[in-house]
Amino acid sequence: MYRKQSAKMVNHLRKRGITDEQVLTAMESTPRHKFVAAGMEFQAYEEKALPIGFGQTISHPYTVALMSQVLQVQKGQRIMEIGTGSGYQAAVLCRMGAQVFTIEKNTSLSRLAEKRLKSMNCHFVIRTGDGSLGWQSYAPFDAIIVTAGAPVVPRNLLQQVKEGGRLLIPVGTAASQELTLFVKDEQSSFRKIIIENLNFVPLKGVDGWSEEV
Ligand code: SAM
């Protein structure tokens, strides 16, 4: 079921420039239709962000693929995700062999995502809370991925990346952000690379936007 749609999605990702076979294989084998709201399964493999309730969305397949590719995930690496949402991005990273530590602010979404991820049989830890502060007890991480748009780069996230590690975060206004990669060197300095402009829902919290945005 959905095998044809999933293969078509991966072909589309190749055409859009995704070349990392590990990402493409993980996305082809992750059942995206199980991460969308009931009744939306038939749209799950289309190049769309879909509502998942509570005003939130599951990101476009291209966004998930691009972010997974830019992270350069190696098997066994510890990756923290801020903004679990549906759990799909976390599931893809798990399928790529990462140990995933994921934080979601919304309790209902967090519970639903936990259930889905458990059924994927992968290595993950999930917490409900404000991910703009990171997760000090599990730091440092090989990579951190933020799947919501931030007004500034949260200081705690920069600190919680390993030397040689990567922080991938959309930064900008509430309406539009630059997906930005920070690579930490051995002297704890960062090289900043702008990947492209994308639109994410806002990162709320102490080091994010206020609840009113
Ligand atoms: N990665 C998700 C997926 O695969 O479905 C999509 C993420 S959705 C675009 C952004 C998510 O970030 C929302 O679920 C939202 O509740 C969450 N969020 C916003 N601010 C947050 C914060 N400070 N800490 C944790 N999660 C946050």
Side-chain angles (χ1 to χ4, degrees):
M1 213 177 160
Y2 295 104
R3 272 170 63 180
K4 264 194 188 160
Q5 288 93 326
S6 169
K8 199 171 156 198
M9 175 185 78
V10 165
N11 274 339
H12 158 82
L13 294 173
R14 283 186 201 283
K15 284 189 191 137
R16 293 272 317 256
I18 304 298
T19 51
D20 185 332
E21 288 302 326
Q22 206 196 342
V23 171
L24 294 166
T25 305
M27 288 188 65
E28 187 155 9
S29 68
T30 304
R32 189 169 156 94
H33 59 277
K34 293 194 177 161
F35 291 83
V36 300
M40 298 221 139
E41 292 88 347
F42 67 102
Q43 296 183 64
Y45 297 88
E46 292 174 15
E47 188 49 44
K48 280 181 180 171
L50 294 169
I52 54 173
F54 311 96
Q56 304 302 330
T57 54
I58 176 174
S59 303
H60 290 70
Y62 173 72
T63 304
V64 175
L66 177 69
M67 292 180 87
S68 306
Q69 177 165 280
V70 169
L71 281 185
Q72 297 188 353
V73 180
Q74 308 288 322
K75 283 203 169 56
Q77 280 189 334
R78 296 157 57 81
I79 302 200
M80 173 165 71
E81 179 196 26
I82 315 301
T84 318
S86 68
Y88 178 69
Q89 173 74 74
V92 169
L93 294 171
C94 284
R95 284 267 155 114
M96 292 172 74
Q99 300 178 52
V100 178
F101 302 81
T102 184
I103 309 175
E104 171 54 51
K105 203 163 185 297
N106 179 290
T107 309
S108 305
L109 286 176
S110 169
R111 288 203 183 123
L112 255 173
E114 181 171 17
K115 231 171 157 184
R116 291 173 178 138
L117 288 166
K118 272 189 179 152
S119 75
M120 297 281 107
N121 194 23
C122 62
H123 191 299
F124 75 97
V125 187
I126 189 167
R127 167 166 90 74
T128 306
D130 179 4
S132 72
L133 299 170
W135 202 339
Q136 186 55 48
S137 53
Y138 284 111
F141 300 95
D142 295 291
I144 299 176
I145 172 175
V146 183
T147 64
V152 290
V153 184
R155 204 166 21 97
N156 287 288
L157 302 189
L158 289 167
Q159 282 166 358
Q160 291 174 21
V161 185
K162 261 187 194 163
E163 286 172 1
R166 305 182 146 224
L167 165 63
L168 182 60
I169 180 167
V171 191
T173 64
S176 166
Q177 306 88 34
E178 285 177 332
L179 180 60
T180 312
L181 175 68
F182 293 88
V183 184
K184 196 174 195 171
D185 68 18
E186 263 105 68
Q187 284 75 44
S188 291
S189 312
F190 286 91
R191 190 158 51 94
K192 178 179 169 185
I193 304 160
I194 309 283
I195 308 297
E196 62 179 70
N197 282 350
L198 291 171
N199 295 337
F200 287 81
V201 296
L203 178 79
K204 306 262 176 94
V206 172
D207 278 346
W209 295 97
S210 67
E211 286 303 326
E212 290 75 50
V213 172

